[in-house]
Amino acid sequence: LRPSLSPGFFCVFITASRPPKMFSITKHYKIWFAISAILILTSFVFLFMWGLRPGIDFRGGTLRDVEFENPVSVAELRDGLREAGYSATVQPVSAGRAIIKTEAQSVEEQAAFKQMLEERFGAFTELEFESIGPAIGRELVRKAYWQVLLVSLGVVMFVSYSFRRIAANAKQYKLPSWKLGVATMIALLHDLIIPLGLFAFLGKYHGVEIDSLFVTALLTILGFSVHDTIVVFDRIRETVQRFPYKPLGSLIDYSVYSTLARSINTSSTLVFVLVASLLFGGGTIFYFVLTLLVGVTVGTYSSVFIASPILYLWQKR
């Protein structure tokens, strides 16, 4: 540097030539992995022990949304249906209103069921009635599996293609784009397993069933999670291009640090909306919103603390 250049210029030049020091995401990866491992192992235990309770969308059956003139508690409904010999799931909506799910019924059985309800619990109004056959339920199960599988594979292919030029910018290491796709896939599996484990627990102790809305919520979680992950990976790509000779760990830390506020603000806005819907949206969408809330939370976590450290460890080892 020439003597005519001021010390201030020298400081600015040095600052612009290297990423600033900050809290290291990659250095403390064991903490993030331990938290996720506990949640995932717990979810697997719940799934293997109890499994998921398929709703009438998948196994076939009837759904009634009924409102009684005289308020009836959920416990009274469940006990009364059990005493009458019916295997039913009761989901509260509001005072005196509930959703009753039973096995498939013929026309005569439906009339007998309505008569039994009126004799035991008084007059009521049937706000909604839905009947699904077992064959349709099995078809929906098959389609649900294919939906989740195809969306996951499409995400990996999209990420791999979008970041196909990142390897050309790295000078000290090889960083093929398919590794970013696989890291994204691992983060997506993380975001799916935890809600599945939660609903296995809720199905065992609260009789919560999964339906087509649950599958819709899972697909929405996949979309939100990959969006957040792509934002972090895109910043990694830009940082690698700016500092091609810097270690990958410091570049990942800088990229995550520079996008962390954006990720938290975006997720917090959505979480506020979901919490409001959870509290005031009614019983019909309660578990759908709960699935989204859990998925958005773990999706934001995995995008920052799981996908990027996986990429770092894979490249390092």
Side-chain angles (χ1 to χ4, degrees), residues 54-73:
I56 65 170
D57 292 354
F58 298 133
R59 72 172 190 271
T62 61
L63 178 147
R64 289 181 176 85
D65 186 353
V66 297
E67 185 174 12
F68 296 92
E69 292 185 1
N70 299 320
V72 180
S73 67

Side-chain angles (χ1 to χ4, degrees), residues 75-88 113 116 120-121:
E76 292 175 343
L77 272 175
R78 289 173 179 166
D79 294 340
L81 292 172
R82 189 182 304 110
E83 292 174 1
Y86 289 97
S87 177
F113 184 83
M116 180 274 301
R120 286 179 173 267
F121 307 107

Side-chain angles (χ1 to χ4, degrees), residues 5-302:
L5 295 178
S6 64
F9 176 84
F10 181 75
C11 295
V12 171
F13 177 80
I14 293 298
T15 303
S17 300
R18 63 187 179 190
K21 294 183 179 180
M22 64 210 71
F23 178 74
S24 176
I25 299 294
T26 56
K27 182 179 179 181
H28 302 89
Y29 70 91
K30 292 182 179 179
I31 299 176
W32 326 130
F33 287 179
I35 295 173
S36 294
I38 293 172
L39 294 174
I40 290 175
L41 288 176
T42 304
S43 299
F44 272 126
V45 169
F46 291 165
L47 287 169
F48 285 128
M49 288 177 58
W50 305 316
L52 298 169
R53 291 173 61 96
I56 65 170
D57 292 354
F58 298 133
R59 72 172 190 271
T62 61
L63 178 147
R64 289 181 176 85
D65 186 353
V66 297
E67 185 174 12
F68 296 92
E69 292 185 1
N70 299 320
V72 180
S73 67
V74 175
E76 292 175 343
L77 272 175
R78 289 173 179 166
D79 294 340
L81 292 172
R82 189 182 304 110
E83 292 174 1
Y86 289 97
S87 177
T89 301
V90 180
Q91 180 180 335
V93 177
S94 60
R97 182 181 172 187
I99 294 176
I100 302 175
K101 300 177 182 179
T102 63
E103 300 296 332
Q105 297 175 340
S106 63
V107 177
E108 294 78 10
E109 290 172 338
Q110 293 174 21
F113 184 83
K114 293 173 68 173
Q115 183 179 356
M116 180 274 301
L117 283 181
E118 190 167 1
E119 291 176 353
R120 286 179 173 267
F121 307 107
F124 66 92
T125 302
E126 190 174 78
L127 304 176
E128 181 183 357
F129 176 80
E130 183 179 355
S131 179
I132 297 178
I136 298 178
R138 289 192 296 268
E139 179 70 13
L140 288 175
V141 171
R142 186 181 65 83
K143 288 183 178 180
Y145 283 133
W146 278 107
Q147 282 177 342
V148 176
L149 178 62
L150 292 177
V151 168
S152 301
L153 292 178
V155 164
V156 174
M157 295 174 62
F158 173 77
V159 172
S160 301
Y161 178 79
S162 299
F163 296 95
R164 63 192 181 278
R165 296 180 181 176
I166 192 172
N169 297 324
K171 303 300 182 182
Q172 290 185 331
Y173 43 81
K174 294 181 179 180
L175 189 61
S177 61
W178 63 267
K179 288 188 176 182
L180 279 73
V182 175
T184 304
M185 181 67 171
I186 295 173
L188 292 181
L189 291 175
H190 170 278
D191 301 339
L192 291 179
I193 291 171
I194 294 175
L196 289 173
L198 172 64
F199 272 76
F201 175 84
L202 294 175
K204 172 65 177 179
Y205 290 102
H206 298 279
V208 177
E209 299 176 341
I210 62 170
D211 52 15
S212 56
L213 273 181
F214 179 75
V215 178
T216 304
L218 292 183
L219 296 175
T220 306
I221 291 169
L222 290 179
F224 181 86
S225 178
V226 73
H227 166 267
D228 229 15
T229 305
I230 286 177
V231 169
V232 177
F233 282 175
D234 189 58
R235 184 55 58 90
I236 292 175
R237 178 186 58 80
E238 294 176 356
T239 310
V240 168
Q241 188 174 2
R242 289 179 59 194
F243 309 104
Y245 294 99
K246 294 295 181 181
L248 182 62
S250 62
L251 297 183
I252 289 178
D253 288 340
Y254 174 75
S255 302
V256 171
Y257 181 82
S258 60
T259 58
L260 187 60
R262 178 190 183 279
S263 298
I264 293 176
N265 291 336
T266 304
S267 301
S268 299
T269 304
L270 182 56
V271 165
F272 292 150
V273 175
L274 292 175
V275 170
S277 300
L278 197 69
L279 296 176
F280 308 108
T284 53
I285 63 170
F286 180 86
Y287 292 107
F288 170 72
V289 176
L290 179 62
T291 308
L292 288 178
L293 182 60
V294 174
V296 166
T297 304
V298 298
T300 304
Y301 175 83
S302 68

